[in-house]
Amino acid sequence: MPEGHVAHRLANNLSKTFGSRIVQVSSPQGRFATEAAELRGKRFCEAESVGKHLFLRFDAQPESLVHIHLGLIGSLRIGKPGETLFPTGNQSTTRLRIQTDAAIAELRGPQWCRLVDEDVLTAVCTDLGPDPLRSDADPQRAWDRMRKTQRSIGAVLMDQRVFAGVGNIFRAEVLFRARIHPERVASQLHRREFDEVWNDLVGLMSDALVTGRIDTIDESHSPTAMGREPRQDRHGGEVYVYRRENQPCFVCGRPIHAAQRDGRKVYWCERCQRR
DNA sequence: AACTCATGCGAAT
DNA sequence: TTCGCCTGAGTTT
């Protein structure tokens, strides 16, 4: 289950594992079987990521492009042949399998896994806002969009046309760290607050890209500094507010709030984050 | 065994 | 604004 760092990690890992190699492609689950047949025996060229989107490029007559989006529940794992990538899962749920003698990758439950042409990749890129994980990102585009919206900063951070790759965890955490209430109208942020949010996204997401987990707690509030037990959420990291409803804030001790907004749960500290 | 929820998104209402 | 989809983990019957 992915925010942008997962897509970028997968792209790096897939390129390293399968790059320039002839691969076997199949679809045990069947939904990608026709396409897998077209890809069989082709050379895996490289994987690219933008926001939460993943593109796999296959070489030679004709060139093929696979567009993958994991959605809420999809996952893609890479390992060695014979290794059990999904310990509890059923083989017949594997939408896409890529393998060589040395490695295997399996994809389950993706929102999208489809063959596309180059125009789709271009369209996806132009529709997305700047991606904090890409060095070519232009944060000014996000700022310009924020200036002319009536929506809350909490809603805007989840809008991929404004910030590509940001999801529910980074939204909650970056707003807590900047002490900004998620209901604050986005257009009323000061430029210095926007810069702080953007720079923090770059830092947090880059760390997550390296470690494969989301850790957002400052040294000064670390378990050691605060004399509490380290705690990890399912995503594997330690955070201030995400999924900590009713638990004490690590900074002020008051219970963390949560509410449903646009179909997703938002988490914040009413005392630490000012409206 | 059944039910709920989840790092998401687009179509239908 | 709600609904549907895809799968797995955790919780409740």
Side-chain angles (χ1 to χ4, degrees):
Chain A
M1 290 169 242
E3 299 198 19
H5 66 296
V6 174
H8 284 73
R9 267 174 82 77
L10 287 171
N12 294 344
N13 203 344
L14 288 166
S15 291
K16 190 172 49 155
T17 306
F18 297 111
S20 302
R21 289 181 170 78
I22 303 293
V23 295
Q24 298 303 313
V25 182
S26 58
S27 177
Q29 178 239 35
R31 284 240 227 158
F32 196 67
T34 312
E35 297 88 337
E38 181 184 324
L39 296 172
R40 193 155 298 137
K42 285 199 176 180
R43 195 170 67 98
F44 184 103
C45 186
E46 59 170 349
E48 301 175 39
S49 54
V50 51
K52 300 170 187 172
H53 299 254
L54 184 58
F55 291 90
L56 312 184
R57 203 178 282 286
F58 291 80
D59 230 332
Q61 276 122 80
E63 188 170 281
S64 302
L65 194 58
V66 178
H67 179 202
I68 293 170
H69 192 296
L70 292 178
L72 188 57
I73 61 170
S75 77
L76 197 167
R77 296 182 188 167
I78 302 164
K80 299 209 184 321
E83 198 174 321
T84 307
L85 294 178
F86 292 90
T88 58
N90 177 328
Q91 282 304 307
S92 66
T93 55
T94 298
R95 178 81 62 89
L96 169 67
R97 175 181 290 148
I98 299 173
Q99 55 187 329
T100 63
D101 289 344
I104 180 165
E106 289 191 347
L107 170 70
R108 299 191 181 204
Q111 173 147 316
W112 301 321
C113 175
R114 56 189 188 186
L115 285 180
V116 297
D117 56 32
E118 205 67 30
D119 296 346
V120 171
L121 173 50
T122 307
V124 165
C125 291
T126 55
D127 290 347
L128 288 173
D131 177 347
L133 284 176
R134 291 183 63 114
S135 51
D136 58 6
D138 175 14
Q140 184 67 32
R141 286 175 56 217
W143 171 252
D144 290 343
R145 266 187 168 275
M146 276 184 40
R147 301 260 55 186
K148 42 185 189 190
T149 182
Q150 309 250 50
R151 294 186 299 158
S152 68
I153 182 62
V156 166
L157 275 167
M158 292 288 280
D159 186 340
Q160 301 299 296
R161 296 168 302 182
V162 185
F163 295 95
V166 176
N168 208 15
I169 305 179
F170 287 124
R171 176 221 345 226
E173 295 301 307
V174 84
L175 287 177
F176 179 86
R177 288 165 56 89
R179 303 298 189 263
I180 296 170
H181 196 290
E183 294 300 328
R184 178 106 64 89
V185 174
S187 58
Q188 301 192 343
L189 257 69
H190 298 292
R191 176 68 198 217
R192 115 182 71 80
E193 292 177 305
F194 169 82
D195 288 340
E196 183 186 349
V197 166
W198 175 264
N199 291 332
D200 206 30
L201 284 173
V202 172
L204 290 176
M205 293 175 75
S206 300
D207 288 349
L209 174 57
V210 174
T211 61
R213 39 183 278 174
I214 299 177
D215 292 286
T216 62
I217 310 251
D218 275 334
E219 201 51 49
S220 57
H221 307 119
S222 70
T224 328
M226 304 288 283
R228 59 181 163 81
E229 284 302 305
R231 164 193 161 287
Q232 290 188 356
D233 202 333
R234 259 205 285 286
H235 54 79
E238 277 213 297
V239 295
Y240 281 107
V241 294
Y242 174 70
R243 276 167 61 103
R244 293 198 62 246
E245 182 170 9
N246 293 329
Q247 296 174 53
C249 172
F250 290 146
V251 174
C252 78
R254 301 188 66 85
I256 298 302
H257 287 244
Q260 205 75 19
R261 292 277 179 274
D262 301 324
R264 310 302 302 282
K265 215 156 185 182
V266 193
Y267 301 85
W268 75 95
C269 173
E270 192 65 40
R271 184 201 260 300
C272 292
Q273 294 169 257
R274 303 318 303 170
R275 289 180 184 261

